Amino acid sequence: MIDLTSMSKPQSVAVVGASPKPGKIGHTILNNVISSGYGGKIFPINPKEEEIAGLKAYASVSEVPQPVDLAVIAVPAARVLDVARDCGQAGVKSLVVITAGFKEVGAEGLELEKQLVETCRKHGMRMLGPNVVGIIDMHTPLNASFSATSPQKGEIAFLSQSGAMLVAILDWSTQVGLGFSKVVSLGNKADLSEIEFIEDAAADPNTKVILCYIEDIVDGPRFLDVAARAARQKPVIVIKSGTSQAGAQAASSHTGALAGSDLAYDVAFRQCGIIRAHSMTELFDLAVAFAKAPVPKGNRVAIVTNAGGPGIITTDNVEAKGLQMARFDKDTIEELRANLPAEANIYNPVDVLGDAKADRYRFALEKVCADPNVDSVVVLVCPVGVTQPVETSEAILEMCKKFPEKPIFAAFMGGESLAGGASMLAKAGVPCFTFPEPAVASISGLVKYNEILETPRDDGTNGLPSFDCKGVKAIFYDVIKDNRLVLLGSEAAEVANCYGIPAAPVVLATSPEEAAEEADKMGYPVVLKVASPKILHKTDVGGVKIGLKTAEEVRQAFTEIMDNVHGYMPQAVIYGIEVQKMMPKGTELIIGMTRDVQFGPLIGFGLGGIYVNLLKDVTFRLARGLNTREIEQMLRETKAYTLLRGYRGEKPRDIEALVDTIRRVAALVNDFPEIAEMDINPVFAYENGLSALDIKITIS
Amino acid sequence: MIDLTSMSKPQSVAVVGASPKPGKIGHTILNNVISSGYGGKIFPINPKEEEIAGLKAYASVSEVPQPVDLAVIAVPAARVLDVARDCGQAGVKSLVVITAGFKEVGAEGLELEKQLVETCRKHGMRMLGPNVVGIIDMHTPLNASFSATSPQKGEIAFLSQSGAMLVAILDWSTQVGLGFSKVVSLGNKADLSEIEFIEDAAADPNTKVILCYIEDIVDGPRFLDVAARAARQKPVIVIKSGTSQAGAQAASSHTGALAGSDLAYDVAFRQCGIIRAHSMTELFDLAVAFAKAPVPKGNRVAIVTNAGGPGIITTDNVEAKGLQMARFDKDTIEELRANLPAEANIYNPVDVLGDAKADRYRFALEKVCADPNVDSVVVLVCPVGVTQPVETSEAILEMCKKFPEKPIFAAFMGGESLAGGASMLAKAGVPCFTFPEPAVASISGLVKYNEILETPRDDGTNGLPSFDCKGVKAIFYDVIKDNRLVLLGSEAAEVANCYGIPAAPVVLATSPEEAAEEADKMGYPVVLKVASPKILHKTDVGGVKIGLKTAEEVRQAFTEIMDNVHGYMPQAVIYGIEVQKMMPKGTELIIGMTRDVQFGPLIGFGLGGIYVNLLKDVTFRLARGLNTREIEQMLRETKAYTLLRGYRGEKPRDIEALVDTIRRVAALVNDFPEIAEMDINPVFAYENGLSALDIKITIS
């Protein structure tokens, strides 16, 4: 883990390009550094000035007589490289390069950016930027940015790849009373990226939740490692833009980012425990929830309301979000029954009725919170005649104190008449909304995080045997020497065998006699298929013969296939004919792999056969770190799973063998990055064991 | 259409139970009637008072010397019936019964409610309630409710089955500046329901959009008729609670409403052109959108932004909502290129850059709005240094005037620094949000409504031939006489034939000879199946023989089946053995019907065969009014459609015949409400024609 102290908690800061003129970025930055209450040394750098804002100015960083931890650079792009060199020579530890005009403006800018990174490397400096708004740490305190708004101090770290988004959020945050621990504008991410700042924020005792707006990820594997560790320390919530086809185009024209496919991001975030937000509102609702509320121990929600309709809507929402309506203990129900009016609904949602004052809310809330079958609570208040919003808020706050392990969220459904109560809750840090839906959505986020925390870590390598890597290498060597990228079926089966993937026996024969001999060895019936990388649709050219039951049939089929193929495609290079044992029909599955540019191999599993593209019953995981539990979860997500467990009276299939095989496929594609694509379709699953019938491997 | 003038625009109002004591409901109601500025006559009714609020009070309605249009009743439940009778005798036209304590409290209350309805019927009065907050018409003006808040005048009609929800929304609305034309608390809906008030609001010139919160629908067919007509006059947006299993329980314990299945509601709303909101926020965002913005002509959205990141997020949202990013005309692109800075993005999303002042926004907006490929526009403003929020708002308002047919929505992403501009837009009626997502969601709602408007009306009966109803009746008569509810396969095929549904030939035979004769007639091969309503799994008892090719095989199979079945189930009543012609294998489909308690028969279509429950590729429509266009849409929603169009090189299937058959099935189940369930699985679809193989019909 790298040390970002010199950036977020520096002993001294130089502002290069500091200016006495209001309106200049260099003026705003210096002003922000000073007015943020920063306690270290501040050095304005400007060759034309003697003094700025009452501080002695220097012509260059190297002229500063004291050590400089952090230099914030806001000079024209053409001068940035010189300034960086000067900083390097002066022993500056960190740079924040505000200046734009680098990678984002084209090839020339990219070249300049590369030189800038080299300069930093040479002098051992780390750099944020270029093209950033700056960095703010509210607990240092230090505002080294040109943001017009200084945020409130709080517990949310916010990292943003979009500067405008960051500025917009800061402006908005002061209005809604949201506070931050750190705010980092990531810009072009030429050196430091979200990875280092996520790691830094995870270790920061002042940060309770980490928020990221990102458009791309530069180093997928490292991101996954860091994020997976960070996510177990505190919640990491990401909004990743560029999910759409058109959005990805806009993203790349904007920051030159190469957007990975959205599926891979989805899978990657999920696997490393990142919570993905799908709108700005969701992002900040979750931020507040995590900053203010405890993480519940489970997904059972209780609702206390003074009106039926809102209770029903909230119940709908609880189910729609995959949460459960808590079923109360008998004791809870008895106590509610004994003490609430007869017309009250004492089951969940608890309806304390329209004439409920604060004391009735307090009573019901206390009983519900104390129930061991309740993990979190939503309180709904409608402004009917006798409602006591302020006193009801007090009751809610009491319960928050008394049951600190259970999140309590409120929806005060109204305006002016409830404002006093609602603002009391907000001030005390209890999330309070106008409508119930965001309250439920927030609880759903907390519950998701609890599931992440409760998932044991397991990188998937436990108990894996060692595989015959040498065997695989030897096969690939031959394929490459033969100037091919696609393996023959027999080669792919050999590769599979090296990793213990149960391939159906298949052997390449070059003569009718050899084919018959091989068939005799493996046992009948067999299939013969022409082996030629150029022939994609073997059946169409008469290149396949099935159900061969004797050596004689095999010899004859061999000759027929050769004749057919020569007839249809006289110029095709034929490697021979594959003899494959016909396996008994099992449940048809597919196991496949596609490689994502950011996150590496993705393993797919689902219903196989010729309808695989039609039914689209395929679920994905990153091969990296794929463990047994995740594979089992993967199976459960598919319709194929219903078949595997025994559909319509059939015997269950060998799920254990299937999980094992998927692990082996993952190990294979992790070990050999040269495998570009792999498809096993179909895999036949039996009551005992599997058979991988048609294995396709493409290398790069 | 009934006339609700005496309720929403009465000449005179009596408040029964009017009270001089603040805090009493009868006090609040009278006060609201007076202070709403109501221009008609007001009569407080209270036997103990001479005068209330400066108005002469009467002991009963019948003592009022002038005609009373509307009586608002707020006396204890036990006295309501007497009051209603008195009103009836006095010639009152409409009642609003505020009083609770009827259906919602149990059997006794239900009885009282029935008597109340009878009293109204007897005297020709219409009634809103009981158990309501009241009714408000802001344009009469008349506030005949006990709501503590008087809403602002506006163009939204809001109907709510939950009184608390209504009160909450009114309280909230004044804070956010939302105005209403009408507000109706529906309560127990003993007489008038959402149906009459939707119809009334549709005809009301002061209402632009109709909002409903409903928990159940009492008269499904009438609701569909009225809503379908209303939805073509103005948008009808409904939030229907009780969608979840648990929610439905809460709903029925709350108002004793019998909740229909959510699927049926979804299908019904869609088919009659209602827009369904899924959260309170969405409901009111859509309300504002429809009240303030024009309905766009299509789904092509343009984005103008001063920052890349928010532009990308918005683009993602546009695609996620099924809208399209507009592709600009060449001219538009050229003009943008010529007049915007070189770094600006001139394609959609248009990025006018962070240094854009109002004039650049105005220029870009004007070009984009004028582009014929743009149907609606989202303007994003981030508070970067030079932003001119107020002037930019002025530019937006200019464009709204200049292009009144294109909705322009704004997201002013910030707080204080943009507040001036944002509130200017809000005041001028241009929807302005903090984040872009709700802007896009609103446009998506408008686009959906445009599609509803553009869909030609067609009740599905055009060109349908007349069917052999008598034939069907005769079969049902025999089945009922036989004390059965499930038709034999041969009977079901006969029913199908009466409606021109292409059933595979099947005949019931009672002897080996008869079976052989029938097989000879229909041609070989044939299948024999035991016909016995008690035997559900015919194969399991040896009750099926397939692939019979000669008369001799048929005779033998008949005897074997009889022996098998007698062996397994000696006590089963056997009607004979069905001889069915084996049809060539086609694409396996299912056509089925299930009956919803509120909306009648639902037709399902999708992939058939034994995996139908596994694949769940089935889509539904109401049989009522099902037309060719809807059926075609239905087919397109399924994966089966990919097969039908010719999958992997296969020839396309006879889609026309399929559509025709679904229409015929719909006609059959519409004509015969006694058909409780119907399943045709599989239907084989061929290149030419179909064959309905296994038809199951259950009657009630």
Side-chain angles (χ1 to χ4, degrees), chain A residues 479 482-489 491 533 536 575 696-699:
Chain A
V479 173
D482 191 33
N483 265 320
R484 280 183 289 132
L485 291 176
V486 181
L487 272 66
L488 299 177
E491 292 165 341
L536 294 177
Y575 284 76
K696 289 203 182 97
I697 296 177
T698 309
I699 57 177

Side-chain angles (χ1 to χ4, degrees), chain B residues 552-563:
Chain B
E552 185 45 39
E553 282 180 24
V554 168
R555 274 188 289 267
Q556 201 177 326
F558 190 102
T559 316
E560 277 176 32
I561 287 177
M562 282 300 192
D563 290 351

Side-chain angles (χ1 to χ4, degrees), chain A residues 164 167-168 171 175 213 241-246 279-280 307 309 312 315-316 319 383 413 415 417 437 614-615 639 642 647, chain B residues 164 167-168 171 175 213 241-247 279-280 307 309 312 315-316 319 383 413 415 417 437 614-615 639 642 647:
Chain A
V167 167
D171 191 34
Q175 197 179 32
Y213 165 84
S241 73
T243 59
S244 62
Q245 207 57 16
S279 72
M280 297 300 293
I312 304 170
T315 303
D316 289 346
E319 286 204 1
M413 301 182 65
S417 69
E437 293 92 350
L614 174 70
L615 300 176
K639 289 173 179 164
T642 308
Y647 187 63
Chain B
V167 167
D171 191 35
Q175 195 178 35
Y213 165 84
S241 74
T243 60
S244 63
Q245 207 56 17
S279 71
M280 297 300 294
I312 304 171
T315 303
D316 289 346
E319 288 205 0
M413 302 180 65
S417 69
E437 293 93 349
L614 175 70
L615 300 175
K639 288 174 180 162
T642 309
Y647 188 62

Side-chain angles (χ1 to χ4, degrees), chain A residues 288-445:
Chain A
V288 171
F290 280 110
K292 302 301 181 190
V295 173
K297 294 287 167 290
N299 69 351
R300 299 164 304 174
V301 181
I303 299 169
V304 177
T305 178
N306 65 344
I312 304 170
I313 286 223
T314 311
T315 303
D316 289 346
N317 246 270
V318 164
E319 286 204 1
K321 285 281 174 192
L323 302 170
Q324 274 192 19
M325 287 295 283
R327 297 177 69 103
F328 300 144
D329 243 15
K330 233 179 75 187
D331 293 356
T332 307
I333 292 172
E334 286 316 314
E335 291 215 58
L336 292 174
R337 193 197 309 278
N339 292 280
L340 293 182
E343 308 81 46
N345 189 17
I346 52 173
Y347 302 95
N348 197 9
V350 177
D351 187 346
V352 294
L353 302 180
D355 60 346
K357 297 192 177 172
D359 57 343
R360 205 186 288 163
Y361 265 107
R362 180 181 287 108
F363 173 79
L365 273 174
E366 179 153 13
K367 292 305 157 210
V368 161
C369 287
D371 192 305
N373 302 311
V374 171
D375 299 310
S376 55
V377 180
V378 179
V379 190
L380 306 177
V381 179
C382 284
V384 280
V386 300
T387 308
Q388 300 176 310
V390 171
E391 294 81 354
T392 305
S393 289
E394 282 165 355
I396 294 171
L397 292 177
E398 271 173 47
M399 294 310 134
C400 289
K401 272 198 199 104
K402 194 158 179 182
F403 302 95
E405 76 291 359
K406 298 193 179 180
I408 305 179
F409 283 62
F412 273 46
M413 301 182 65
E416 272 315 314
S417 69
L418 300 178
S423 73
M424 174 187 280
L425 290 180
K427 264 179 214 142
V430 173
C432 182
F433 303 90
T434 303
F435 296 127
E437 293 92 350
V440 176
S442 297
I443 289 178
S444 159

Side-chain angles (χ1 to χ4, degrees), chain B residues 317-529:
Chain B
N317 246 270
V318 165
E319 288 205 0
K321 286 281 174 191
L323 302 170
Q324 273 191 21
M325 288 295 284
R327 298 176 68 103
F328 299 144
D329 242 16
K330 235 179 74 187
D331 293 355
T332 307
I333 292 172
E334 285 317 313
E335 291 215 61
L336 292 173
R337 193 198 307 281
N339 292 281
L340 293 183
E343 309 82 45
N345 190 17
I346 52 173
Y347 301 95
N348 197 10
V350 177
D351 187 348
V352 295
L353 302 179
D355 61 345
K357 296 191 178 172
D359 57 343
R360 205 187 286 162
Y361 264 107
R362 179 181 286 106
F363 174 80
L365 273 174
E366 180 152 16
K367 293 303 157 210
V368 161
C369 287
D371 191 305
N373 303 310
V374 171
D375 299 310
S376 56
V377 180
V378 179
V379 191
L380 306 177
V381 179
C382 284
V384 283
V386 301
T387 308
Q388 300 177 310
V390 172
E391 294 81 353
T392 305
S393 290
E394 283 165 356
I396 294 170
L397 292 178
E398 273 174 44
M399 294 310 134
C400 289
K401 273 199 199 103
K402 196 159 178 180
F403 302 95
E405 78 290 359
K406 298 194 180 182
I408 306 180
F409 283 63
F412 273 46
M413 302 180 65
E416 272 315 313
S417 69
L418 300 178
S423 73
M424 174 187 281
L425 290 180
K427 264 179 216 143
V430 173
C432 182
F433 302 90
T434 303
F435 296 127
E437 293 93 349
V440 176
S442 298
I443 289 178
S444 157
L446 294 176
V447 168
K448 240 185 244 166
Y449 187 61
N450 182 52
E451 284 162 11
I452 291 164
L453 290 180
E454 285 188 343
T455 306
R457 289 216 68 170
D458 172 4
D459 70 355
T461 55
N462 272 348
L464 267 187
S466 60
F467 299 114
D468 179 8
C469 296
K470 276 189 197 160
V472 176
K473 279 180 195 165
I475 298 162
F476 287 171
Y477 179 82
D478 288 344
V479 173
I480 293 164
K481 224 177 64 180
D482 192 31
N483 266 319
R484 280 183 289 132
L485 292 176
V486 180
L487 273 66
L488 299 176
S490 50
E491 292 165 341
E494 268 187 83
V495 168
N497 286 333
C498 291
Y499 270 69
I501 298 159
V506 53
V507 174
L508 184 70
T510 51
S511 71
E513 266 324 307
E514 195 187 347
E517 266 169 43
E518 293 294 346
D520 270 342
K521 267 191 250 166
M522 64 179 65
Y524 295 92
V526 298
V527 188
L528 261 56
K529 293 185 214 169

Side-chain angles (χ1 to χ4, degrees), chain B residues 55 65-66 74 79 99 254 276 430 498 631:
Chain B
L55 296 168
Q66 287 167 283
R79 288 196 43 228
T99 311
H254 177 229
R276 184 169 190 174
V430 173
C498 291
I631 296 172

Side-chain angles (χ1 to χ4, degrees), chain B residues 597-619:
Chain B
V597 72
Q598 256 91 7
F599 299 108
L602 281 165
I603 300 287
F605 165 78
L607 277 178
I610 59 163
Y611 288 160
V612 62
N613 290 318
L614 175 70
L615 300 175
K616 294 191 176 66
D617 178 47
V618 178
T619 182

